[in-house]
Amino acid sequence: MAIDYSIIIPAYNEEALLARTISHLQEAMATISLTGEIIVCDNNSTDRTAAIARKAGAFVIFEGINQISRARNSGAKVAKGRYLVFVDADTLVPAALLHKALDNLKSGQCCGGGATITEEAKIPVLAKAVVGYWNIISRTLGLAAGCFVYARRDDFESCGGFSEKVYATEEIWFSMALKGRARKHKRQFRIITKPKVVTSGRKLVWYSYSYQSILLLLICLFPYLTRFKWLCAYWYKRPEQ
């Protein structure tokens, strides 16, 4: 059976939320006439991530180097679909959002894009304001959030996939590369505003507002700091629960 689209989930120690993410995706995929697949890239997990993904019905591959961009790219390499959708392991994708993303790609007028986000968890007021501010930036500048990125395979490959020079913000660099290709070929990069993709918002709860603000400021001023993994612990380490 030919695969039309592939949903790729990079996962590092995601046993707590991964099964729900996959189940939610499967429900959304059941409403779509195109044939899809779910690929989980186990990014050197030390928990039951891979076993849970297999039990849930996903195709699982292994990437031994713990790097988000590399895990995304590894999933794309084995994907069979001509359309690619990248989803984080703590993210819920509404069926209507998946429909819109695939319709955009099928139209031939869109090379890819992202979606505005909303958080599932109850988060502090200031953190909620940050999410709202990001959505404004995303819509205005055309930047996809990492929890939901979609693209045509040929455009993804022409852009070189996600940059493996960085350990975070790979979705920003990819968005800029994909927008450049869209302009060159007179197509569009589309941020879907409704419905929003639902992220757990866990980092907004785990880390203090001051820490996240300082980190964001440093990355905005010195984006090449993301080339150093030890400076990107926010994306790779979790506080003791």
Side-chain angles (χ1 to χ4, degrees):
M1 181 183 297
I3 301 296
D4 298 304
Y5 66 97
S6 303
I7 299 177
I8 299 157
I9 307 173
Y12 171 64
N13 288 353
E14 292 288 0
E15 65 179 10
L17 298 177
L18 184 57
R20 188 180 68 148
T21 295
I22 294 173
S23 176
H24 201 275
L25 280 170
Q26 290 167 335
E27 291 176 7
M29 293 166 72
T31 69
I32 295 173
S33 59
L34 297 178
T35 301
E37 64 176 352
I38 298 176
I39 298 170
V40 171
C41 181
D42 172 20
N43 199 194
N44 205 24
S45 299
T46 58
D47 65 2
R48 297 179 59 249
T49 289
I52 287 172
R54 290 191 184 95
K55 185 177 180 180
F59 178 70
V60 179
I61 63 167
F62 179 78
E63 170 54 60
I65 298 178
N66 192 209
Q67 182 182 20
I68 301 169
S69 56
R70 191 179 294 268
R72 295 186 195 274
N73 289 339
S74 294
K77 287 177 183 176
V78 302
K80 299 176 181 176
R82 64 182 183 275
Y83 308 134
L84 305 177
V85 182
F86 298 88
V87 175
D88 280 351
D90 67 331
T91 298
L92 302 180
V93 180
L97 174 58
L98 186 57
H99 272 275
K100 284 188 176 182
L102 293 174
D103 284 345
N104 284 347
L105 297 176
K106 286 192 298 179
S107 72
Q109 300 175 355
C110 174
C111 61
T116 52
I117 65 175
T118 188
E119 66 291 334
E120 182 181 19
K122 185 176 181 180
I123 60 176
V125 174
L126 286 175
K128 197 171 186 68
V130 170
V131 173
Y133 183 59
W134 161 256
N135 283 335
I136 293 173
I137 292 174
S138 178
R139 293 193 303 267
T140 304
L141 300 182
L143 298 174
C147 57
F148 187 84
V149 183
Y150 65 99
R152 290 166 51 107
R153 172 188 286 279
D154 55 350
D155 292 316
F156 175 85
E157 292 176 347
S158 294
C159 291
F162 292 95
S163 173
E164 295 181 8
K165 294 180 180 179
V166 298
Y167 286 89
T169 71
E170 73 284 345
E171 70 274 24
I172 303 300
W173 298 105
F174 179 69
S175 293
M176 291 190 291
L178 195 56
K179 284 195 299 177
R181 181 167 172 79
R183 286 191 296 269
K184 181 178 179 180
H185 294 275
K186 297 182 179 179
R187 287 186 282 156
Q188 296 177 335
F189 179 95
R190 296 177 183 170
I191 298 296
I192 300 169
T193 57
K194 290 183 181 180
K196 296 178 180 179
V197 67
V198 183
T199 179
S200 70
R202 56 190 177 180
K203 289 187 177 70
L204 296 171
V205 176
W206 288 344
Y207 298 100
S208 70
Y209 179 73
S210 57
Y211 170 75
Q212 294 180 83
S213 298
I214 293 171
L215 180 62
L216 179 61
L217 179 61
L218 285 173
I219 289 176
C220 288
L221 292 176
F222 310 103
Y224 284 91
L225 289 177
T226 55
R227 293 186 177 220
F228 303 95
K229 187 175 181 179
W230 66 274
L231 288 171
C232 297
Y234 179 82
W235 287 272
Y236 292 89
K237 294 184 179 180
R238 299 178 184 179
E240 292 295 330
Q241 299 298 298

